[in-house]
Amino acid sequence: MAMAVWAGGLAGAAVLAYAARRRWTALLPLAAATAAGALLAQTGDGLWHTDPLARRQVCDTSVAPAVCVNARYAGALPQITGALSGVTGRLKGVRNLPVRWEDRDGGPRDDEAELPSLTPLGWSFVRGRLTDTGEFAREAVGTLVLRGDCPDDRLGARFERADDAVENYLAPLPSRRYFDDLDSQGDARRRAALARRRAARARLAAMGEQERRDWLSAYFAARAACDPSGVPAL
């Protein structure tokens, strides 16, 4: 209320001052703005109140990683868990995963991955519904795989091929075919790199279930430690 009076008073004073020039009526909104400004100054940080729900998360711990959303969007949790069910289903039994996908202000902790943002509303999340569950799942896989702050000098071809294979296995990206086609028409170096990526994807997909769980467990441990030598061969 004080903010409205302050802003309105300043605007009103400016308009009336221009129209009435030196007439005393221009002083009334200015006086109101001055009083409201003093109130704002005295109130300080206490004027702004964070929505208490924004500090809390609600989680579905029946899957791993657990899926957590900001409490403001608690009603969307079943839908979001459902959108990630294909990913969590493929990760069943895999070790060394983050504890949860989190959805709160600030970056994720070391044992967390960041849930794709549900804001700004009106783009990927409209009227409490995800507009593209497949894209949401692919973004969640991206934050799962690329979490942490591995320096560039610790990343190399071994991680790149493994990351690509894991992302392709957990949530295939339709546009990957487009980029693969571009590389297939590139120079010898790009074609050779594409052949290695495709071979790695095929080997991961062809593994038996237990072998793949063991491979993924070792991969996520190496990813968390930024240790390329810990990435099992593909």
Side-chain angles (χ1 to χ4, degrees):
M1 180 64 183
M3 178 65 78
V5 172
W6 177 66
L10 288 180
V15 172
L16 290 176
Y18 178 80
R21 303 303 169 95
R22 297 181 181 178
R23 293 167 68 182
W24 64 272
T25 52
L27 297 177
L28 294 177
L30 183 59
T34 301
L39 176 61
L40 290 175
Q42 293 171 10
T43 304
D45 293 339
L47 177 66
W48 310 106
H49 299 284
T50 303
D51 183 348
L53 290 179
R55 302 191 188 98
R56 293 197 300 108
Q57 297 184 97
V58 292
C59 302
D60 184 338
T61 59
S62 67
V63 294
V67 180
C68 299
V69 300
N70 193 287
R72 291 173 295 179
Y73 312 122
L77 180 58
Q79 179 195 174
I80 291 169
T81 301
L84 297 176
S85 62
V87 177
T88 54
R90 291 183 175 92
L91 290 174
K92 189 173 182 179
V94 174
R95 305 178 304 280
N96 305 316
L97 295 169
V99 174
R100 65 186 64 85
W101 276 288
E102 58 83 21
D103 181 28
R104 60 171 177 269
D105 292 338
R109 302 186 181 104
D110 290 343
D111 60 350
E112 298 175 332
E114 189 170 10
L115 192 75
S117 177
L118 297 176
T119 56
L121 302 178
W123 184 257
S124 60
F125 191 59
V126 179
R127 296 181 181 176
R129 304 290 300 177
L130 292 172
T131 57
D132 188 336
T133 55
E135 179 61 27
F136 185 83
R138 285 186 287 274
E139 289 179 7
V141 167
T143 64
L144 183 71
V145 167
L146 303 178
R147 78 187 197 281
D149 297 316
C150 292
D152 291 342
D153 60 359
R154 299 295 300 276
L155 300 175
R158 195 178 185 90
F159 258 142
E160 290 175 7
R161 283 197 299 274
D163 291 348
D164 176 83
V166 171
E167 290 188 54
N168 187 74
Y169 171 69
L170 293 178
L173 184 65
S175 62
R176 183 173 281 116
R177 179 177 297 178
Y178 169 77
F179 292 109
D180 285 355
D181 287 345
L182 289 179
D183 284 339
S184 69
Q185 300 169 32
D187 58 23
R189 180 184 60 81
R190 289 174 60 187
R191 294 195 303 272
L194 172 63
R196 288 191 291 270
R197 290 199 305 274
R198 284 175 166 168
R201 295 173 197 166
R203 282 194 289 271
L204 181 60
M207 288 180 182
E209 289 187 9
Q210 187 57 53
E211 181 187 8
R212 185 164 47 242
R213 280 194 291 268
D214 291 341
W215 188 96
L216 288 169
S217 297
Y219 162 80
F220 280 109
R223 209 50 176 91
C226 297
D227 178 16
S229 66
V231 178
L234 269 179

